[in-house]
Amino acid sequence: MKTKQKLLLVEDYSAIGGISTTTAISVMSALGIKYGSLPTQVLSTQTEGFGTPRIADLTTFIPQAFAHWRQITDLDFTTILTGYLGSRATCKLLAEECRQGKFKQVVVDPVLGDDGELYPELVPADIAAVKELVTTATVTTPNLTELNFLSGTKYKLRATASDAELVQAIKAVEGQSKQHLQVVVTGVRRGEQIGCCWLMQGQLHYYGQEYAAGHFYGAGDLFAASLAGLLNLGWTLPAAVKTAVTATHLAIAANKTEKQEELRYGMDISPVLAYLIAQTKTK
């Protein structure tokens, strides 16, 4: 039976690109979740493959939206999912909202960088702002580069990082939080597989699917949305991670023969939506 608990999406919206908010809305609809969507920025295109996008910043709108929502007596968001936020002011505002305990689950996708580097539009000060937000989370989903930034690890974590390196970095991030924080690390390679690892009761767990070479725009957004949605439905973390990894793999498998110039418009995620609908029907 699907929950009536509501979920709030807070991330950027790209008019062209089929990622971030667009993907998350599709996932929540497939899972039967009532959601609110709060764009942090509106971009003419996603940031890769189309030149420099035109951006409408919504930093001043966001507190106005929260102020209005506080006046709606029957509006109660149980879960919040944050993605790319676009400004340190928005990070701070969301951290304050989350600290007030309004959300039972706070899922933070700490969008900071990849391949060992910050994204071009970000600066080191953004790391501190995102780290502050992560301290309010119940679950965070960094890739290895973001785990590096959040943990303060001096050496660069790579896809083939050892279990010991991962455990050390995960514990460093968890130790910054005053509540129980679960760190789910994405993009970890083990042999011919790529997937996620996380700690439970001091033990490192891993779940992966077959690795496919290429750049699949929005794969991280798809994973984070699937994970947050399933957690909102009451799934356990291991079950939610495994299903979200499988969902992301299905999208990549369905799109791996597409050319990069087509993939920049976004992946076809229809197989994922059908899979998620089927999974929730069995629960």
Side-chain angles (χ1 to χ4, degrees):
M1 183 176 182
K2 296 184 180 180
T3 181
K4 293 183 179 179
Q5 295 175 337
K6 300 177 183 67
L7 184 148
L8 177 60
L9 305 167
V10 187
E11 55 190 328
D12 64 300
Y13 175 85
S14 295
I16 294 175
I19 62 173
S20 54
T21 298
T22 306
T23 294
I25 286 175
S26 299
V27 168
M28 299 313 153
S29 297
L31 293 174
I33 294 173
K34 293 184 182 298
Y35 63 87
S37 176
L38 182 57
T40 56
Q41 292 183 330
V42 177
L43 293 83
S44 56
T45 66
Q46 59 127 320
T47 57
E48 298 180 89
F50 295 98
T52 303
R54 306 303 182 264
I55 299 175
D57 185 77
L58 298 179
T59 300
T60 58
F61 168 74
I62 293 168
Q64 296 175 39
F66 275 107
H68 180 203
W69 293 341
R70 280 190 280 271
Q71 299 172 11
I72 305 173
T73 56
D74 61 344
L75 179 59
D76 181 22
F77 290 114
T78 302
T79 301
I80 181 172
L81 167 64
T82 72
Y84 180 71
L85 300 177
S87 77
R88 293 185 290 280
T90 299
C91 281
K92 183 177 180 180
L93 182 140
L94 288 174
E96 292 171 353
E97 291 285 338
C98 294
R99 283 196 197 97
Q100 295 176 26
K102 299 177 181 179
F103 308 101
K104 292 180 181 178
Q105 296 192 88
V106 177
V107 182
V108 174
D109 184 5
V111 184
L112 285 167
D114 205 356
D115 297 324
E117 304 292 338
L118 277 171
Y119 290 126
E121 66 273 19
L122 300 181
V123 297
D126 291 302
I127 298 175
V130 172
K131 285 176 74 171
E132 180 184 359
L133 179 59
V134 168
T135 64
T136 72
T138 55
V139 177
T140 187
T141 60
N143 61 31
L144 287 152
T145 295
E146 291 155 352
L147 180 64
N148 226 133
F149 291 142
L150 295 175
S151 66
T153 306
K154 294 182 180 179
Y155 51 86
K156 287 186 178 181
L157 291 166
R158 304 190 182 279
T160 54
S162 69
D163 287 1
E165 290 172 330
L166 291 168
V167 169
Q168 181 182 13
I170 290 171
K171 286 185 175 180
V173 176
E174 291 178 345
Q176 297 166 19
S177 177
K178 294 182 180 180
Q179 61 181 3
H180 181 61
L181 170 64
Q182 295 263 206
V183 179
V184 179
V185 186
T186 66
V188 180
R189 291 285 301 275
R190 289 291 180 267
E192 298 301 315
Q193 291 191 329
I194 187 168
C196 295
C197 64
W198 66 99
L199 279 178
M200 289 194 75
Q201 298 179 334
Q203 297 296 312
L204 188 69
H205 296 259
Y206 177 80
Y207 183 77
Q209 292 280 352
E210 182 182 2
Y211 172 76
H215 185 35
F216 299 92
Y217 301 97
D221 299 327
L222 175 61
F223 173 80
S226 300
L227 180 66
L230 293 167
L231 291 173
N232 188 69
L233 290 174
W235 287 39
T236 65
L237 183 75
V241 170
K242 291 174 183 179
T243 301
V245 168
T246 301
T248 307
H249 168 72
L250 286 172
I252 291 172
N255 288 269
K256 64 183 180 181
T257 60
E258 289 287 333
K259 296 179 179 179
Q260 284 295 309
E261 56 264 31
E262 289 300 319
L263 283 175
R264 65 189 174 140
Y265 284 96
M267 292 190 292
D268 173 13
I269 63 170
S270 55
V272 176
L273 304 183
Y275 169 73
L276 292 175
I277 290 169
Q279 294 301 305
T280 54
K281 281 184 177 179
T282 63
K283 292 288 182 178

